[in-house]
Amino acid sequence: FDDDLLSDFLDFVGTPAGHLISKLDWSTTPGIKSSDFQVERSADAEHFVTIGEQKPGEDINRINSYQFFDRNATLGDNFYRLRFIDANGEVSYSPIRKVTFALYPFAVTATPNPAKDRMYVPKYTGSFPQSDRTRHLHVDGDIRYRYAP
């Protein structure tokens, strides 16, 4: 439950779902009557454009969950909000959510630097860009370690 949301919304979450794809999930309380939800995106959190529309669930007497994929997200920050139009034509907005895409989303550290006979690389628990393979290269270009699940 998110206290920052309007009373009609139970939650609203934005997450990366692939290369420049944002996944937006939200749910609404029972009894909500709306004409539609408009999904809006902005690069600066001030000037929004509508990028999609979601019709409300048919059963207004239950919690309804929704999902929308923005397959045209951009590098950097993508700000999202939902524009909610109720049955009376009144417009309200959800809080703004941010999904960020970095040019180089993968980073790793190794210690000590410079290394003599051993180097420690913490296990990376995120996802590797493009694949789950990694290689450790010596300064002469020789592959000293490979990992492929």
Side-chain angles (χ1 to χ4, degrees):
F1 180 77
D2 190 336
D3 286 332
D4 293 336
L5 293 175
L6 299 170
S7 60
D8 293 332
F9 293 95
L10 293 175
D11 64 2
F12 177 37
V13 178
T15 56
H19 181 67
L20 299 179
I21 300 173
S22 295
K23 181 176 82 160
L24 306 173
D25 293 290
W26 69 96
S27 58
T28 58
T29 59
I32 189 169
K33 295 178 183 176
S34 69
S35 58
D36 65 358
F37 298 100
Q38 293 179 350
V39 180
E40 299 182 338
R41 179 181 62 218
S42 170
D44 61 6
E46 290 184 27
H47 303 93
F48 285 86
V49 295
T50 300
I51 59 169
E53 197 173 286
Q54 184 78 33
K55 294 294 180 195
E58 294 191 17
D59 186 356
I60 66 166
N61 296 315
R62 56 174 275 202
I63 293 173
N64 285 293
S65 297
Y66 304 90
Q67 189 171 72
F68 180 86
F69 287 91
D70 176 11
R71 299 183 189 283
N72 295 306
T74 59
L75 286 174
D77 294 333
N78 294 267
F79 298 94
Y80 296 94
R81 73 181 181 188
L82 301 173
R83 184 172 187 252
F84 170 71
I85 304 168
D86 71 15
N88 297 325
E90 291 187 38
V91 176
S92 57
Y93 295 93
S94 71
I96 297 169
R97 298 297 187 239
K98 179 173 76 168
V99 179
T100 302
F101 294 95
L103 182 58
Y104 301 106
F106 172 74
V108 68
T109 58
T111 58
N113 186 10
K116 291 185 181 183
D117 61 341
R118 292 182 188 269
M119 177 175 56
Y120 299 94
V121 180
K123 182 179 179 184
Y124 179 71
T125 57
S127 63
F128 291 95
Q130 306 298 323
S131 72
D132 285 339
R133 292 176 288 176
T134 185
R135 298 177 301 203
H136 297 185
L137 302 175
H138 189 267
V139 293
D140 63 11
D142 288 342
I143 297 173
R144 298 294 171 101
Y145 175 81
R146 290 178 195 237
Y147 173 77

